[in-house]
Amino acid sequence: MSFVRLTAMLFFSIASLPAQIAANSIQLPVALAYDAAGNLYFADANRHQIFEATLGGQLLVLAGSGTQGFAGDGAAATAARLNAPQALAIGADGTIYLADTGNNVIRAVSNGVITTIAGTGKAAFSGDGGPAIAASLAEPNALALDSSGALLIADSGNHCIRRVSNGIITTIAGNGTQGFSGDGFIAKAAQLDTPSGITIGASGSLFISDTHNHRIRVVDSTGIMNTFAGTGKPGFSGDNGPSAAAQLDSPKGLAIANAGVLLIADANNQRIRSINSQSVISTLAGNATQGSAADGTIALAAALNTPRSLAINSFGYLAIADAPNHVVRVLAADGKLYLPDAFTNRISTVALTAASNATIAVAGQAAIPQGVVQLLADGATFATVTLTSGTATVPLTALTPGSHTITAFYAGDGLNPAASSTALTLSTAKATTAVVTAPPSSNDFAGMPLLLNANVTSVTKGTPTGTVNFIEAGTTVAAAQLAAGIASGVYLAPAAGTHTIIASYLGDNNFSPSAAPAVIATVKPMPDFTLATTGSTSQTIAAGSIAIYTLSVTPQSGAFTGAVSLSASGLPFGATVSFSPPQLVPGASSATSTMSIQTLTSIVQLRSTPGSLYALLCLPLLLLRRRSRRLLPICGLIVIAGCGTRINQPPTPAAASYPIIVSATGTNLAGAVVVHTTTVTLTIE
């Protein structure tokens, strides 16, 4: 049962859900279709119902209450009334299209709800070019879907093929007049006689069972009609020869097998016939005897009873509507005819063995089992694999360490029912791991943090957790916790030079410890600079002159990208210094600055001053009026203080040499302040 339909069923009452019935209740299965998963659908014209024979072996009612009539549109399909449905098609989305033949309408079941999509219920011909729901049909008895998803209808009573696309109906083959004509001409102008089977070929050609003309007709991509098989005279002949020269008798259902092989239900010949890509016809099943065959009979030796419809699934199984025998038969790859498992009491067995791999072997009672198996670990799906010759192997390396209960479940293939293995208990050891260390960046410098990365992986299910240590010469220089299998540690201040680093994973509850091969990290010296004088470091100048020195700042151990400021100390008294420029950024090459020292011309000195001179300075004060006598003591103090006293000032510059220290200050990549000095000599004459 498709997931889409199963989901939709949740919205209906228990009474409307598909019910399982007994296989012996089937009366006249006349129409067949497979869905993409391989589930088989069939229409029982006598029971007025649509059934599903699931891959797992259940037989379910999907549409029709079992009461003949017309009712139920817009409600649960299982409660609807149908009237002798005779055709089915399954859409890619899981929609079930059915020809409600006795009601002269086409209906669709989607998400468990049934609606009418074509036909008014009146047996007539009308409506081309308009809405399909307003058109008249007459005994529609075959359906197919083309590559665009358009629905093709064998409008049997109107002797034509009609097409519904986007709700609009048109005629694409047959002019509505019963008869035979039109080969080599436009298909719409041709005559057909009760077409009862249609299918689409690999090239897009439309094949039609022109039943009462005892022919297979084909409409090519240009819309031209021709006879593909049959002479028009009922009978049996022509096997292993050209199909156009062979005799057919009331061909009905059609299907396309691998390599474009056309399969035909040659109803009155009690055979299934095939036409290959070279247009050679042969018999695939049936011994020409009208009757019934035991389950498991070789197809070419089996009796059939007016086979009506055909369908082929992804396993290559060909389903045949052996309607008067009240069964569907399936032709398997071993050349035998089997009943679907929903019609039988077959059993399947699943054998499971496990070590590093789980080996699953499925045995059935009808051909070699096909389809898929699920491996369950602790109740959850661990893997889904397709059987090859009845077996499958599943690696168990993805199981987490510890004890596990594993079971294999076979979904069935339509011939062999679903089954489960006996549960096994399996203990798995810690998973192995691998550590990969990413080489550190080549731009790392001494004194700066060095980023170390390691990736810990495992071929098993799950992701390692825990700690990774980064080790140099036996000492852990960094440690980090794994996050999504990645650990990033920081080596805080490695010295310049090469460092051999090993990443060591310590393991956890599920994963074993491991270590990575050593990697080499190269740490470069921190970029620095030197300060030097370009030219002479010693100058002699006269007082009042300017001394000029050229300074050079040169990077070392790489580009120095910080700004370097210049200053000087130890200057002669009164001298000033300037730099042009006052800051340098050396980068990858040297940078220069000019230092200028301006000296003083002379320095005025007061060596000694006589007391009589100070007395003269006070004389005007003695002439003041007597009211100002209080000033005289002050003057006297001046005279007394000035007598014989010296005031010492810095000496007038004489020939002398001055060592001047020039400083260069910058900040390196690590943010540390770096200072370098040089000394120049200044002599003043």
Side-chain angles (χ1 to χ4, degrees):
M1 186 182 304
S2 71
F3 174 78
V4 173
R5 187 166 68 259
L6 181 61
T7 302
M9 289 177 182
L10 298 176
F11 295 95
F12 297 97
S13 67
I14 297 297
S16 69
L17 292 175
Q20 187 167 358
I21 67 165
N24 59 14
S25 300
I26 300 304
Q27 297 177 17
L28 194 66
V30 295
L32 304 174
Y34 277 110
D35 66 14
N39 298 294
L40 176 65
Y41 301 76
F42 62 91
D44 188 328
N46 279 4
R47 288 183 59 99
H48 315 290
Q49 290 178 299
I50 309 300
F51 295 91
E52 178 186 9
T54 69
L55 284 173
Q58 292 181 304
L59 191 58
L60 306 175
V61 178
L62 295 186
S65 65
T67 300
Q68 185 177 18
F70 179 84
D73 270 5
T78 52
R81 292 187 180 186
L82 307 176
N83 188 355
Q86 294 186 29
L88 290 173
I90 310 297
D93 62 353
T95 298
I96 304 168
Y97 299 94
L98 63 100
D100 194 356
T101 305
N103 285 321
N104 301 297
V105 297
I106 307 300
R107 303 174 85 174
V109 178
S110 179
N111 295 329
V113 176
I114 193 167
T115 56
T116 297
I117 62 170
T120 61
K122 180 181 179 181
F125 179 86
S126 69
D128 262 12
I133 194 69
S136 293
L137 306 172
E139 299 179 10
N141 66 0
L143 298 175
L145 291 161
D146 68 16
S147 59
S148 71
L151 181 67
L152 307 183
I153 305 167
D155 195 357
S156 178
N158 284 320
H159 311 289
C160 64
I161 309 300
R162 305 178 83 176
R163 182 176 188 265
V164 178
S165 178
N166 297 320
I168 303 300
I169 193 167
T170 55
T171 297
I172 61 172
N175 63 11
T177 301
Q178 185 176 17
F180 175 79
S181 70
D183 272 5
F185 296 96
I186 294 296
K188 288 179 63 174
Q191 287 181 296
L192 301 172
D193 190 348
T194 321
S196 303
I198 51 177
T199 193
I200 302 296
S203 64
S205 298
L206 169 63
F207 292 94
I208 304 167
S209 281
D210 195 356
T211 302
H212 290 166
N213 281 321
H214 312 290
R215 301 172 188 258
I216 305 300
R217 313 281 289 275
V218 62
V219 180
D220 65 20
S221 59
T222 66
I224 301 300
M225 172 85 80
N226 279 294
T227 293
F228 185 70
T231 63
K233 181 180 179 180
F236 175 80
S237 71
D239 264 8
N240 303 314
S243 60
Q247 284 181 291
L248 305 172
D249 194 344
S250 301
K252 293 187 177 180
L254 300 175
I256 297 291
N258 291 336
V261 173
L262 178 67
L263 306 177
I264 307 165
D266 195 356
N268 287 353
N269 279 322
Q270 318 302 331
R271 287 178 167 92
I272 308 302
R273 302 177 81 178
S274 69
I275 302 174
N276 66 17
S277 58
Q278 286 75 45
S279 298
V280 174
I281 192 169
S282 59
T283 295
L284 195 63
N287 64 4
T289 301
Q290 186 174 15
S292 180
D295 195 44
T297 300
I298 294 173
L300 287 171
L304 299 174
N305 193 348
T306 319
R308 168 68 176 82
S309 178
L310 302 176
I312 195 162
N313 71 5
S314 57
F315 303 139
Y317 292 160
L318 173 64
I320 304 165
D322 197 0
N325 284 325
H326 318 295
V327 295
V328 176
R329 299 193 185 277
V330 177
L331 176 57
D334 63 0
K336 296 179 180 180
L337 290 176
Y338 298 95
L339 296 174
D341 59 311
F343 287 69
T344 69
N345 294 315
R346 294 193 194 102
I347 61 171
S348 301
T349 59
V350 182
L352 173 64
T353 57
S356 58
N357 295 324
T359 301
I360 305 163
V362 181
Q365 297 174 319
I368 297 174
Q370 300 189 69
V372 299
V373 289
Q374 285 183 317
L375 187 68
L376 307 178
D378 305 319
T381 299
F382 179 76
T384 300
V385 292
T386 300
L387 289 172
T388 301
S389 299
T391 63
T393 300
V394 179
L396 296 177
T397 52
L399 279 175
T400 56
S403 179
H404 299 278
T405 300
I406 61 173
T407 307
F409 172 75
Y410 172 52
D413 64 0
L415 294 181
N416 299 289
S420 296
S421 72
T422 301
L424 294 181
T425 299
L426 179 69
S427 294
T428 57
K430 284 190 176 185
T432 59
T433 57
V435 184
V436 177
T437 308
S441 168
S442 60
N443 293 322
D444 296 306
F445 297 98
M448 294 183 69
L450 177 64
L451 182 63
L452 302 171
N453 292 304
N455 184 16
V456 182
T457 61
S458 177
V459 296
T460 63
K461 186 177 182 180
T463 302
T465 62
T467 303
V468 173
N469 287 339
F470 296 93
I471 300 170
E472 181 181 16
T475 300
T476 299
V477 296
Q481 293 295 309
L482 284 170
I486 303 294
S488 296
V490 178
Y491 189 167
L492 289 177
T498 59
H499 299 263
T500 301
I501 307 293
I502 295 174
S504 176
Y505 171 54
L506 303 185
D508 63 11
N509 290 335
N510 295 326
F511 295 91
S512 298
S514 58
V519 296
I520 303 299
T522 300
V523 177
K524 295 187 285 188
M526 177 63 67
D528 201 347
F529 63 88
T530 60
L531 176 64
T533 304
T534 301
S536 175
T537 61
S538 179
Q539 293 190 39
T540 301
I541 61 172
S545 298
I546 298 174
I548 296 176
Y549 300 84
T550 301
L551 303 172
S552 175
V553 176
T554 303
Q556 297 230 317
S557 302
F560 193 91
T561 56
V564 177
S565 300
L566 298 171
S567 63
S569 62
L571 297 173
F573 180 81
T576 60
V577 66
S578 62
F579 297 90
S580 180
Q583 282 189 333
L584 301 171
V585 180
S589 59
S590 296
T592 60
S593 178
T594 301
M595 179 176 71
S596 301
I597 299 175
Q598 173 69 63
T599 60
L600 293 177
T601 302
S602 62
I603 298 176
V604 177
Q605 288 184 306
L606 296 177
R607 293 182 178 271
S608 62
T609 304
S612 57
L613 179 58
Y614 290 105
L616 290 174
L617 291 174
C618 294
L619 181 60
L621 297 176
L622 297 174
L623 300 177
L624 293 176
R625 288 180 300 177
R626 300 179 68 177
R627 75 177 68 178
S628 301
R629 288 178 187 167
R630 65 179 178 271
L631 294 177
L632 293 179
I634 297 174
C635 183
L637 288 174
I638 293 173
V639 172
I640 294 169
C643 294
T645 301
R646 296 178 180 270
I647 300 176
N648 292 319
Q649 298 289 348
T652 301
S657 292
Y658 299 89
I660 298 172
I661 299 172
V662 182
S663 298
T665 304
T667 303
N668 66 16
L669 293 174
V673 175
V674 181
V675 179
H676 293 286
T677 62
T678 188
T679 301
V680 299
T681 302
L682 175 61
T683 301
I684 301 176
E685 294 182 334

